[in-house]
Amino acid sequence: MTRTTDTRDDPARRARRWRKRIHAFRSETSTAALVTVGTMTVALVASLVGFLLASPFTALPVALFLLAAGVGWVRYQGLTARVLTFAMTIATVLILLLITVYITVESIPVIRYETTTVFGVPVPGLRLFTETRWDAVAEPIRYSMVPMIHGTVMVTTIATAVAAPLGVAAALFLSEIAPGAVREVVKPGVEILAGIPSIVYGFIGFTILSPWASEQFRTTGQGSYLFVGIVVGLMALPTVVSVAEDALSSVPESMKSGSLAMGTTDWQTMTSITIPAAFSGVSAAVLLGVGRAIGETMAATVMLRGVPQLTEPLYNVFYGQETLTSLIANNYGNAHGLQMDALFLAGVILFITVLAISIGSQYIEWRMHRKLGGEV
């Protein structure tokens, strides 16, 4: 049996192909352009190194890079644009990588501090998720993340229950039902809502919703997961509506017309053709809304009590204590030592959560492409 080899995976052939491309690029590009691009590259790398080393001379390579980029833009605009876009892409990846490494490294001390033993084997950080005590003052000092994770889950769940059905329904109305004149007015209005600062939503919730809830439900003090979740859900609503409406509008008109030609009603076409075909985009819209709910800081900080402890019982939504984001906002100014490291750990948990949501949305999109016969 003869085994065929895919030449695209042959490292030698790939290397020869790249050498040909580099040779063609050098032969087609003037020496002055190569010098300009090389100066930009060296200056950019030097700027990055100087930034990482906190050098006082970092401004010099930055100035050199800007000068070379200006000359290149005037004389070799196409080549300079390619180099700049490539450099910005690399810079984005590097910034994300540096942030990830930094917050992870800063959280290591508190992970070591909260080490506990299971069957004689020390497990770093286990006590962070098995105990419920957060106290940076009184002994024993503990930095449990359980109360904040619980609060984040409560707020996110309620916000998703508000934003997902309302957002998808509004997107379906704008995409399939609303007249053109109504759509032209409503959609920009919905997108404007996304530009309102979160502190405004939080202030409205604190001054109107929280006092009303405290009086109506006879709670002690203000702050409840229920109304924080509602406010955050309303904040996430514009994102869900906008992204879901774009996804629904991108469904080919031929699919809808074919369904209607078979004798189905508009509602049957929407539920059996439009929504399934745009499911990946709709689910991405909902996940983006969930990400907004998880990462919301100011509204939760303003409306919650700021007490790092669990509610009793756990499903009690009429009291609100603390979330991961509000923990960081309430404590970063006065925190030091292990308490600051614990705040970095809260950031790591948020980062991992949002990363998991992003991977989940990509997986859903991949499954839908596969189901609809697209390229995998």
Side-chain angles (χ1 to χ4, degrees):
M1 181 176 179
T2 304
R3 181 179 180 182
T4 59
T5 303
D6 190 350
T7 57
R8 293 176 299 178
D9 296 331
D10 187 353
R13 288 181 179 272
R14 192 184 303 115
R16 285 196 295 270
R17 188 163 58 250
W18 275 106
R19 283 197 296 269
K20 289 181 180 179
R21 290 180 180 178
I22 294 173
H23 179 72
F25 173 76
R26 293 180 61 182
S27 62
E28 296 172 358
T29 309
S30 65
T31 303
L34 290 174
V35 171
T36 302
V37 171
T39 303
M40 290 171 55
T41 304
V42 173
L44 190 60
V45 173
S47 302
L48 176 63
V49 173
F51 172 76
L52 295 177
L53 297 178
S55 171
F57 303 103
T58 304
L60 297 179
V62 172
L64 179 61
F65 169 77
L66 294 176
L67 178 63
V71 173
W73 189 261
V74 173
R75 303 187 59 182
Y76 320 103
Q77 191 173 80
L79 179 61
T80 303
R82 291 169 59 187
V83 173
L84 287 176
T85 53
F86 178 74
M88 294 305 102
T89 303
I90 297 298
T92 301
V93 175
L94 285 177
I95 290 172
L96 178 61
L97 181 62
L98 290 173
I99 292 175
T100 304
V101 171
Y102 179 73
I103 63 175
T104 302
V105 170
E106 290 295 323
S107 64
I108 289 177
V110 74
I111 294 176
R112 291 176 176 172
Y113 175 78
E114 295 291 359
T115 299
T116 189
T117 302
V118 179
F119 300 113
V121 179
V123 180
L126 181 60
R127 199 161 54 199
L128 291 163
F129 307 101
T130 56
E131 295 188 5
T132 61
R133 173 184 168 85
W134 170 287
D135 198 326
V137 179
E139 293 292 341
I141 303 298
R142 291 289 181 267
Y143 300 102
S144 173
M145 292 290 146
V146 174
M148 282 64 71
I149 293 175
H150 170 260
T152 302
V153 170
M154 295 285 283
V155 171
T156 303
T157 302
I158 296 170
T160 305
V162 172
L166 292 180
V168 174
L172 194 62
F173 172 78
L174 291 175
S175 175
E176 304 296 323
I177 301 174
V182 175
R183 186 183 302 112
E184 294 299 324
V185 173
V186 174
K187 188 174 180 182
V190 171
E191 293 175 350
I192 289 174
L193 292 176
I196 299 177
S198 59
I199 187 64
V200 175
Y201 285 100
F203 182 71
I204 293 174
F206 178 76
T207 56
I208 298 177
L209 289 180
S210 290
W212 179 84
S214 178
E215 179 181 352
Q216 294 297 319
F217 298 105
R218 304 181 187 277
T219 58
T220 304
Q222 296 189 20
S224 68
Y225 289 137
L226 176 61
F227 289 95
V228 174
I230 292 174
V231 169
V232 175
L234 294 177
M235 293 173 57
L237 192 58
T239 302
V240 178
V241 173
S242 180
V243 177
E245 196 273 337
D246 291 338
L248 292 169
S249 298
S250 65
V251 176
E253 191 64 32
S254 58
M255 296 177 65
K256 306 174 189 177
S257 300
S259 175
L260 293 172
M262 295 295 292
T264 62
T265 63
D266 290 338
W267 176 249
Q268 289 172 331
T269 299
M270 285 187 283
T271 55
S272 61
I273 300 296
T274 306
I275 294 179
F279 183 76
S280 60
V282 173
S283 62
V286 174
L287 289 175
L288 285 173
V290 172
R292 174 75 186 269
I294 291 175
E296 175 49 43
T297 303
M298 292 312 301
T301 303
V302 170
M303 295 182 65
L304 292 176
R305 288 178 170 83
V307 180
Q309 65 183 30
L310 295 172
T311 56
E312 296 182 3
L314 294 177
Y315 54 82
N316 185 1
V317 297
F318 296 103
Y319 284 89
Q321 308 294 357
E322 191 87 277
T323 63
L324 290 168
T325 53
S326 64
L327 174 75
I328 298 173
N330 285 326
N331 292 277
Y332 78 94
N334 300 318
H336 61 277
L338 285 176
Q339 185 179 5
M340 179 64 76
D341 298 330
L343 300 184
F344 277 107
L345 179 62
V348 171
I349 296 172
L350 288 169
F351 177 81
I352 293 174
T353 304
V354 174
L355 178 63
I357 291 174
S358 177
I359 293 174
S361 65
Q362 293 294 324
Y363 176 73
I364 293 173
E365 185 175 359
W366 173 79
R367 287 290 300 271
M368 289 306 300
H369 273 292
R370 186 174 182 181
K371 181 178 179 180
L372 296 175
E375 294 183 1
V376 180

